[in-house]
Amino acid sequence: MGKNLTTRNEDYSKWYNELVIKADLAENSGVRGCMVIKPYGYAIWEKMQAELDRMFKETGHQNAYFPLFIPKSYFSKEASHVDGFAKECAVVTHYRLKNDENGNGIVVDPDAKLEEELIVRPTSETIIWDTYRKWVQSYRDLPLLINQWANVVRWEMRTRLFLRTAEFLWQEGHTAHATEKEAVEEAEQMMHVYADFVENHMAVPVVKGTKTESERFAGALETYCIEALMQDGKALQAGTSHFLGQNFAKAFDVKFATKEGKQEYVWATSWGVSTRLMGALIMTHSDDNGLVLPPKLAPDQVVIVPIYRNDEQLEAISEVAKALQKELRTKGIRVKYDARDTHKPGWKFNEYELKGVPVRIAIGPKDLEKGTVELARRDTLEKQFVAREDVVGVVEGLMTEIQENLYTKAIAHRAEHTTKVDSYDAFKQVLEDKGGFISAHWDGTTATEEQIKNETKATIRCIPLDDDNEAGSCMVTGKPSKRRVLFAKAY
Amino acid sequence: MGKNLTTRNEDYSKWYNELVIKADLAENSGVRGCMVIKPYGYAIWEKMQAELDRMFKETGHQNAYFPLFIPKSYFSKEASHVDGFAKECAVVTHYRLKNDENGNGIVVDPDAKLEEELIVRPTSETIIWDTYRKWVQSYRDLPLLINQWANVVRWEMRTRLFLRTAEFLWQEGHTAHATEKEAVEEAEQMMHVYADFVENHMAVPVVKGTKTESERFAGALETYCIEALMQDGKALQAGTSHFLGQNFAKAFDVKFATKEGKQEYVWATSWGVSTRLMGALIMTHSDDNGLVLPPKLAPDQVVIVPIYRNDEQLEAISEVAKALQKELRTKGIRVKYDARDTHKPGWKFNEYELKGVPVRIAIGPKDLEKGTVELARRDTLEKQFVAREDVVGVVEGLMTEIQENLYTKAIAHRAEHTTKVDSYDAFKQVLEDKGGFISAHWDGTTATEEQIKNETKATIRCIPLDDDNEAGSCMVTGKPSKRRVLFAKAY
């Protein structure tokens, strides 16, 4: 009956890997570094997509679709971008296979070599800005507010399901503006949209901020990010939004005529979140019994399990269960009634706990007699008996309560794991003792940032937006610091 | 003011190509054979996706996601499949680029050659059945009813926007069943689901049928299809559903334990529709003024255009327009109010005609005086003045009426272009005179089918499911024929 799940204390990393498999979220495929997202995992991703897509449209964006392949030469056009993205990638060199003349099955046809190699997109700035050149002539054509849902490929050597895979799913927004101000506002807006989604739907609190120069997106003038803290005290970058200045417009010659008839380069942003969010969701809320899902993203918010010894009992229970299912659905609640006779109730309890269904309702013969049901919350594992006529009201309340409870718990965990330090020794000690976010003064140089990274593996996650602007001196060099920044070891 | 659109009579093919560009649906990219789907085209595709996805889920299917890449060896496992799919395809041979030592920019790193080449999926049967082996042990694990929304790549030499592109978007369903009967029923069901969608949402009538052996999907025992007829008398295959027997289960060793404890191979289906449907939609309804969209798939079902000479007039008109927009939206109608001052009303009329918006409402100062609006239907180009208080009712009625009218017109066109012939001479004559579907007797051999194809370019589109089973003799060989089949030249 046990879950045979490694506990978080035993081995957090192993716990994560096992959980992803056992909760039926994803698995490794026969292709190195590429995952299969299983139906249950994909259903959660679909809920995320739907809500994000709604938010993007509400802020004026439209979807479009650009090619999977990017000619190699496109990457060379934006100098900093090429180093960041065009190195570890999947390269298409041929367009045909043929039967081997020596009977070795199918082989690459050497006569079908491409004149120019194609890169499977690691991100689409280059192909999109090559397209925008044709779309933008005048200020009337601006802004372009476009998003794409797509798969991308980055040839990662060490992969982990959802967190780091060679192929992953994401959305990438690419916008074009007439003014710098408008582009900066767009990049900031999308950071706020991401934070809103991650906090209010995933129930994962985030810190909003900007990246240091060395952590910026390749080609960006400013990278805005949202950073979340996992249960093991490591940070996870949950989303980024980049102000790209005129770099891509210049690289791809995208100019527009202003109202006054002058030719100017267009201002750009890009922003994205990916299936990595699944990793953040899992690692923030789940426990040693398996996945814990916030109600807003749970494919099934409630599961009803009948407990019976014979067909007669099942029939009577099913009548109540189906009526209840119907009533809950009327309230917009997603309810599954699992009356399979191939599995025992205990197996089902275990299964739905592993899969993080927020509320489980069990109905047995005694419940019928007493006019009650047994109701279990996944987040607290608390059980209670509820009178049949009160169930709908109680469940409706729990949808809100569980969502809030998960967020509150995550906030509390983050507060416990956020430490202000004023010396490098204290910094190292906190990192070793409990990890988490460490707020410290830094002299603003890449050299010091590198030194800290090399010595402690901690990186600057962000320069927080809403922290007080307290000045001080760098914990390493003692040089002046304008403000504290947030360090952590990170995924 | 003109659309500068080639007419269908002048050059149907050119008309199509121009229309796709001018209506802002899609365009060619810098990557050979790969298209950019522009926001307006993508918005229509999203409507298609949403409805299809709803239908798939209603019939018990779940979405999942499988890798973009397929190891070359997977294709060799199913003998007939390899010839059909693993030839003209994008082959990934390397996983890294590097800076050239001789200063030639970035080049493929010869040290980063893959041990086994990866094929960019042209269709996913092989990678999915390799996965299903792990998912299926017992009859309890069946059926698997899974769908994937994805991009696929087939290296086409001659490409046309939406109709034939190297990369295209599609959905592919892949199901696994315990019995042959269940798998056949699934394949048939999905053909009916596709027909329902194409007829009732796209307003495109289809013939349901099965493919001849030579036209079947590589690896299928039976291919069910839906065939539509375009305005130029050419057919277009709008969707296919395949009964794959146990071919892939045997190739990938997918067995299950029956209730009785026997080991048996699993039965399979696969089914798909793609962005090709956009081509069918465009070519069925559109006219020399541009795109014509059925209301159910139109991103904007109604556009309101103000006609004014000064700000005062605009203000008064906007008040009426916005109130109207609000009322229509309450009825679930998608309404755009285009008050841009950067374009003249005539330009806007032209634009929305090109883009196929079903209903256009114009409001000018005289309308305000008279309490009317001018309402124009895109399908018939008819205009009428409607009293302000009647507009909502009239527009609501038009949503249904236009949808039905487009379908009725397409049915009538198909009836006019479906001919029964009993001799090969008559067959050739009809093909030359007006094309369309030709119902004729055929002796059932691939040889005769090939001969007809070589001599006339017409292929057997399908063996219709619901035709009467009238016997006869083959129009070419005179040999006995059990039933008529449907020929046409096709896209």
Side-chain angles (χ1 to χ4, degrees), chain B residues 39-234:
Chain B
Y40 192 62
Y42 200 86
I44 300 169
W45 174 241
E46 279 184 308
K47 295 238 166 299
M48 291 189 182
Q49 278 191 302
E51 181 57 26
L52 284 166
D53 199 69
R54 196 193 60 71
M55 288 175 150
F56 297 158
K57 284 174 177 155
E58 204 176 75
T59 44
H61 302 87
Q62 293 178 294
N63 290 328
Y65 189 77
F66 297 86
L68 171 67
F69 300 126
I70 304 179
K72 193 187 67 180
S73 58
Y74 283 31
F75 280 96
S76 313
K77 296 192 181 181
E78 213 291 319
S80 51
H81 196 65
V82 64
D83 289 328
F85 284 105
K87 291 301 165 59
E88 307 296 323
C89 55
V91 188
V92 177
T93 56
H94 291 73
Y95 60 85
R96 193 185 302 133
L97 298 172
K98 61 168 193 171
N99 287 314
D100 184 33
E101 288 147 19
N102 305 316
N104 291 323
I106 49 170
V107 295
V108 174
D109 183 346
D111 293 338
K113 193 172 189 305
L114 290 169
E115 276 183 42
E116 179 179 6
E117 294 89 350
L118 296 173
I119 311 303
V120 179
R121 63 181 163 218
T123 181
S124 300
E125 277 77 6
T126 56
I127 187 93
I128 287 179
W129 279 86
D130 185 64
T131 307
Y132 282 0
R133 185 177 54 250
K134 293 173 251 172
W135 294 3
V136 178
Q137 268 91 43
S138 128
Y139 70 94
R140 287 186 200 86
D141 303 320
L142 296 172
L144 286 176
L145 302 173
I146 292 179
N147 175 62
Q148 163 171 276
W149 289 95
N151 53 343
V152 286
V153 173
R154 299 175 186 178
W155 209 265
E156 302 284 354
M157 279 302 151
R158 280 191 234 159
T159 61
R160 289 187 74 189
L161 293 168
F162 291 124
L163 295 172
R164 194 174 295 276
T165 48
E167 181 192 17
F168 57 90
L169 303 183
W170 81 344
Q171 60 68 219
E172 45 182 326
H174 295 274
T175 68
H177 306 265
T179 65
E180 174 172 14
K181 181 167 173 287
E182 202 183 295
V184 168
E185 281 169 3
E186 166 78 7
E188 284 176 355
Q189 171 186 250
M190 297 322 291
M191 170 189 63
H192 292 301
V193 165
Y194 286 155
D196 177 5
F197 170 75
V198 173
E199 297 197 326
N200 295 318
H201 289 263
M202 294 174 56
V204 173
V206 295
V207 178
K208 300 175 198 172
T210 55
K211 287 287 184 190
T212 60
E213 199 185 330
S214 67
E215 297 275 339
R216 252 177 229 150
F217 177 79
L221 299 189
E222 186 80 274
T223 288
Y224 299 87
C225 62
I226 53 171
E227 297 283 328
L229 194 67
M230 304 296 99
Q231 292 179 60
D232 62 346
K234 281 172 81 175

Side-chain angles (χ1 to χ4, degrees), chain A residues 27-31 34-40 42-43 46 53 57 62-76 82-83 86-99 104-108 114 117-121 127 130-131 134-135 139-140 146 149 151 153 155 157 167 169 342-343, chain B residues 27-31 34-40 42-43 46 53 57 62-76 82-83 86-99 104-108 114 117-121 127 130-131 134-135 139-140 146 149 151 153 155 157 167 169 342-343:
Chain A
E27 66 184 35
N28 288 303
S29 74
V31 187
C34 292
M35 65 179 159
V36 172
I37 306 179
K38 298 185 78 173
Y40 192 61
Y42 199 85
E46 278 184 309
D53 199 69
K57 284 174 177 156
Q62 295 179 293
N63 290 327
Y65 189 77
F66 297 86
L68 170 67
F69 301 126
I70 303 179
K72 193 188 66 179
S73 58
Y74 283 32
F75 280 96
S76 313
V82 64
D83 289 328
K87 292 300 166 59
E88 307 295 323
C89 57
V91 188
V92 177
T93 56
H94 290 75
Y95 59 84
R96 193 185 302 135
L97 298 173
K98 63 167 190 172
N99 287 315
N104 291 324
I106 48 169
V107 295
V108 173
L114 290 168
E117 294 89 350
L118 297 173
I119 312 302
V120 179
R121 63 180 163 219
I127 187 93
D130 184 65
T131 308
K134 294 174 248 171
W135 295 4
Y139 70 94
R140 285 186 201 88
I146 292 179
W149 289 97
N151 53 344
V153 173
W155 208 265
M157 279 301 149
E167 181 192 17
L169 303 183
T342 45
H343 298 87
Chain B
E27 67 184 34
N28 288 304
S29 75
V31 187
C34 292
M35 65 179 160
V36 172
I37 306 179
K38 298 185 79 172
Y40 192 62
Y42 200 86
E46 279 184 308
D53 199 69
K57 284 174 177 155
Q62 293 178 294
N63 290 328
Y65 189 77
F66 297 86
L68 171 67
F69 300 126
I70 304 179
K72 193 187 67 180
S73 58
Y74 283 31
F75 280 96
S76 313
V82 64
D83 289 328
K87 291 301 165 59
E88 307 296 323
C89 55
V91 188
V92 177
T93 56
H94 291 73
Y95 60 85
R96 193 185 302 133
L97 298 172
K98 61 168 193 171
N99 287 314
N104 291 323
I106 49 170
V107 295
V108 174
L114 290 169
E117 294 89 350
L118 296 173
I119 311 303
V120 179
R121 63 181 163 218
I127 187 93
D130 185 64
T131 307
K134 293 173 251 172
W135 294 3
Y139 70 94
R140 287 186 200 86
I146 292 179
W149 289 95
N151 53 343
V153 173
W155 209 265
M157 279 302 151
E167 181 192 17
L169 303 183
T342 45
H343 298 88

Side-chain angles (χ1 to χ4, degrees), chain A residues 365-378:
Chain A
K366 278 196 183 154
D367 293 306
L368 288 194
E369 277 172 34
K370 292 189 285 180
T372 60
V373 307
E374 190 198 58
L375 193 150
R377 278 173 72 153
R378 178 62 186 90

Side-chain angles (χ1 to χ4, degrees), chain A residues 214-228:
Chain A
S214 67
E215 297 275 339
R216 252 176 229 151
F217 177 79
L221 299 190
E222 186 79 275
T223 287
Y224 300 88
C225 63
I226 53 172
E227 297 283 328

Side-chain angles (χ1 to χ4, degrees), chain A residues 139-140 259, chain B residues 308 311 314 338-344 348:
Chain A
Y139 70 94
R140 285 186 201 88
K259 259 186 188 166
Chain B
Y308 59 96
D311 284 353
L314 176 61
D338 184 354
R340 286 179 294 175
D341 63 358
T342 45
H343 298 88
K344 299 241 162 87
K348 292 177 187 173

